[in-house]
Amino acid sequence: MSTPAQPASAIPSGLKVCTSVPELLMLLEFVFGGLVWILVASSRVPFPPNQGWVMFVSVFCFVITTLLLILYMAGVQKSSSAWNAVDVFYHLIAAIFYLSIAVLEADDTRFRFSFAPPQFAKIYKINIAASVFAFLATLIYTIHAILSILRWKSASS
């Protein structure tokens, strides 16, 4: 008596990862997440706990996105259909986390520099750029989560 085989994941492997639409977004997540990380590290935030949260989220998502990209290219997801769920839940959590740091960074920038002297103009511009890239990363993670949900739904039916 044979046991039914588990359906394989719908996530592509190898170099196809760089050509499929949801996984192609991982490259943008990698770039925008890295930019947020670099810009926040090079600027001043008035509240150190806020900067700590922003750095944690950007570095955590950068590392996990990189790890998932490497695992997908290695084809680890072919062993189980649970990788679809991992992809969906990670990108949902990342989108929520990035939304929180984007709002936090924008609010800190507005609060800190609303009455700042002109010598802080460069730091102000760096913080604005970090806020913009954090919102772009939020958008990319959200789009990836939605496309992953659609893929998971179509793979399960």
Side-chain angles (χ1 to χ4, degrees), residues 38-52:
I38 291 166
L39 289 168
V40 170
S42 68
S43 69
R44 294 184 205 158
V45 176
F47 307 109
N50 291 357
Q51 185 174 17

Side-chain angles (χ1 to χ4, degrees), residues 14 19 36 42 44 48 52 56 61 64 66 78 80 86 103 108 113 121 123 125 137 141 144 149:
T19 60
V36 171
S42 68
R44 294 184 205 158
F56 168 76
C61 290
I64 299 299
T66 304
K78 293 297 181 190
S80 172
V86 169
V103 170
D108 283 352
F113 297 106
I123 297 169
K125 291 175 184 176
Y141 276 107
H144 192 144
I149 289 169

Side-chain angles (χ1 to χ4, degrees), residues 9-11 22-23 26 29 68 72 81-96 140-156:
S9 173
I11 301 170
E23 282 65 45
M26 291 178 93
E29 294 163 7
L68 282 176
Y72 291 166
S81 63
W83 283 96
N84 288 328
V86 169
D87 194 50
V88 168
F89 290 125
Y90 166 67
H91 284 94
L92 282 173
I93 295 298
I96 292 167
I140 298 298
Y141 276 107
T142 303
I143 292 169
H144 192 144
I146 291 168
L147 293 174
S148 295
I149 289 169
L150 295 173
R151 177 177 51 206
W152 187 24
K153 185 178 176 184
S154 69
S156 65

